Amino acid sequence: IDNLVEDIDLNQSIKYVYTDKISIEGGWQIKNLYLDYREMFVGDTMTYITSKPKIISSFIATTIQPLPLWHMNAGIRISKYNKYDHYIINPKLAIKYNPIPDLALKASVGRYAQFLYTINKESMDIEYLFDLPGAGDTAFPAIRRLDAHSFLIANYTSDINNKNRWWFWGQIKPTYIYMTRLTFETIN
């Protein structure tokens, strides 16, 4: 199996410094990916798929220094991925404390998303399947092939029965590993 991913970005940002303690930054990004997937068996190409996903994003963030040793940053990124029907909204909040010049203590919270895709050998394309369940914090999925048509997905996240939460709460509250068996069946 050969799996090549190329990433070409075009981006721009602008920063407005209102005072030495308050600034606002905004910008955009166009991310062009080139995916080249090839399965070979005994020297013959069994599957060859290329895909060109595109992600268009914009963001705005503000940084303030409420106290001499403290900085706070709040922002939001909104993205549109051409292989996904919805907008992806990722807010974030970060703080930094500099007690001495050579030390910075940082903490941040934000919302993140993980998606599951498959390679469709008939249409020769990469297709969105579904969002992996999560509670709004970072999900850490892993996948393992069980047989020709089945996969085991392990998804480490906060309790999926609760409302969405910030990443920070996912780090200090109980987390779980959700196991899912995903089976693809041939449709005639």
Side-chain angles (χ1 to χ4, degrees):
I1 294 179
D2 288 330
N3 193 9
L4 172 72
V5 178
E6 291 180 355
D7 180 353
I8 299 171
D9 283 359
L10 178 64
N11 60 67
Q12 184 177 33
S13 64
I14 187 167
K15 185 173 188 176
Y16 174 69
V17 180
Y18 182 70
T19 69
D20 61 339
K21 297 180 189 290
I22 301 172
S23 64
I24 298 171
E25 185 175 8
W28 57 268
Q29 175 187 44
I30 299 173
K31 179 183 283 287
N32 292 293
L33 298 169
Y34 174 72
L35 309 174
D36 184 40
Y37 177 82
R38 182 186 320 258
E39 285 183 19
M40 299 189 70
F41 182 71
V42 192
D44 291 331
T45 300
M46 306 304 290
T47 303
Y48 179 64
I49 299 173
T50 60
S51 183
K52 295 181 180 179
K54 180 184 270 190
I55 304 168
I56 299 173
S57 302
S58 61
F59 74 92
I60 189 164
T62 184
T63 302
I64 62 171
Q65 185 180 8
L67 299 168
L69 304 177
W70 291 88
H71 289 83
M72 294 176 60
N73 179 277
I76 189 166
R77 174 180 290 271
I78 300 172
S79 304
K80 181 67 176 112
Y81 179 40
N82 70 340
K83 302 279 183 182
Y84 185 61
D85 290 336
H86 300 69
Y87 284 92
I88 303 164
I89 300 172
N90 300 116
K92 119 180 162 172
L93 177 66
I95 59 171
K96 180 172 74 170
Y97 174 61
N98 286 98
I100 58 175
D102 294 344
L103 177 65
L105 303 173
K106 300 176 183 180
S108 65
V109 296
R111 180 165 298 197
Y112 307 93
Q114 293 286 336
F115 312 100
L116 187 62
Y117 291 83
T118 187
I119 295 173
N120 184 324
K121 293 181 182 180
E122 289 180 18
S123 68
M124 302 301 269
D125 200 5
I126 298 171
E127 294 180 355
Y128 164 79
L129 291 176
F130 55 83
D131 296 349
L132 290 172
D137 59 347
T138 303
F140 299 99
I143 190 166
R144 180 169 190 247
R145 181 185 288 268
L146 299 174
D147 57 42
H149 303 285
S150 298
F151 298 84
L152 181 65
I153 301 171
N155 187 24
Y156 174 74
T157 188
S158 297
D159 186 351
I160 61 174
N161 297 311
N162 291 338
K163 64 181 183 174
N164 284 345
R165 65 168 64 162
W166 290 93
W167 173 86
F168 175 75
W169 296 117
Q171 304 306 303
I172 64 171
K173 299 280 187 171
T175 54
Y176 306 90
I177 298 176
Y178 294 92
M179 306 295 280
T180 304
R181 183 183 179 119
L182 182 63
T183 303
F184 295 95
E185 296 177 1
T186 304
I187 300 174
N188 295 323

